[in-house]
Amino acid sequence: NAGVMQNPRHLVRRRGQEARLRCSPMKGHSHVYWYRQLPEEGLKFMVYLQKENIIDESGMPKERFSAEFPKEGPSILRIQQVVRGDSAAYFCASSLRLEAFFGQGTRLTVV
Amino acid sequence: ELKVEQNPLFLSMQEGKNYTIYCNYSTTSDRLYWYRQDPGKSLESLFVLLSNGAVKQEGRLMASLDTKARLSTLHITAAVHDLSATYFCALANFGNEKLTFGTGTRLTIIP
């Protein structure tokens, strides 16, 4: 049973471009959580999704950020018009009910 | 709003010494986790604590939970270099795995 898969592992974008981060949960897991980790800080919750539903997006910035978890395929975190301050590690976690398992993360660098 | 504080933020210890990391939180939760993160890596789950008085041990690490005091501790016994990492505590919401993380403790073991 493969773990939580995130890709790409590293992503470089110029200011103003779009970033798409993908997360494939563990097999059978229907809950996906996205977290952001700024350098030298802890992880901050962004959004919680189930298939085709956003359950809690209280940690998402109001603009430029969106997330989806379609019926088929991975969960996507999309950042439009990236700025330098978006540079961070983005982690996805999945769970069936309790206990979340984390992916390796995507390290986004905005230049 | 749930707040989680860890202290110390930074800790340098000599090999062979004992020390404790503290995790205080502001409101009740039904699960508390301890994670380890190596630089540039994902999070490794160490312990999950479910109830008041819970104590779990793995090798040189021992975690405990006092729900009345809203305090968890991670105790390190006879530290070795391999334990150098950043340690996070995190609390889960009731009913899902939305996690609120502490600030992290960066532990450096000095030979």
Side-chain angles (χ1 to χ4, degrees), chain A residues 34-82:
Chain A
W34 286 93
Y35 295 86
R36 177 165 64 177
Q37 186 177 32
L38 295 170
E40 308 298 326
E41 293 189 14
L43 278 74
K44 296 285 195 300
F45 168 78
M46 299 182 76
V47 62
Y48 163 32
L49 309 107
Q50 293 181 16
K51 287 279 187 183
E52 298 184 281
N53 279 306
I54 297 175
I55 306 301
D56 182 343
E57 56 182 347
S58 57
M60 289 278 269
K62 293 287 185 281
E63 296 178 349
R64 302 188 297 108
F65 285 72
S66 62
E68 63 176 4
F69 188 15
K71 188 176 179 182
E72 301 290 338
S75 176
I76 307 284
L77 179 67
R78 182 181 177 208
I79 311 171
Q80 295 178 290
Q81 298 175 314
V82 297

Side-chain angles (χ1 to χ4, degrees), chain B:
Chain B
E1 181 189 348
L2 175 60
K3 293 190 188 304
V4 183
E5 291 185 355
Q6 278 181 245
N7 68 83
L9 298 183
F10 298 94
L11 177 57
S12 287
M13 331 173 28
Q14 284 190 310
E15 280 190 326
K17 300 289 188 184
N18 303 334
Y19 210 79
T20 301
I21 299 170
Y22 298 88
C23 172
N24 291 88
Y25 54 98
S26 60
T27 61
T28 57
S29 172
D30 62 353
R31 293 182 308 288
L32 186 143
Y33 296 91
W34 283 97
Y35 289 93
R36 168 183 171 144
Q37 186 180 37
D38 291 293
K41 304 291 186 183
S42 187
L43 282 79
E44 174 190 354
S45 178
L46 297 174
F47 302 107
V48 54
L49 302 169
L50 301 177
S51 58
N52 189 41
V55 177
K56 290 198 175 178
Q57 182 163 5
E58 181 73 34
R60 299 174 189 274
L61 300 177
M62 182 174 71
S64 65
L65 178 62
D66 181 345
T67 57
K68 290 184 172 59
R70 294 180 186 161
L71 170 69
S72 179
T73 61
L74 181 66
H75 187 72
I76 302 145
T77 302
V80 293
H81 181 70
D82 286 353
L83 291 178
S84 295
T86 300
Y87 292 85
F88 293 98
C89 64
L91 279 91
N93 265 18
F94 289 100
N96 64 55
E97 283 302 287
K98 173 184 173 182
L99 298 174
T100 301
F101 282 83
T103 46
T105 296
R106 183 183 289 185
L107 174 65
T108 304
I109 309 297
I110 304 165

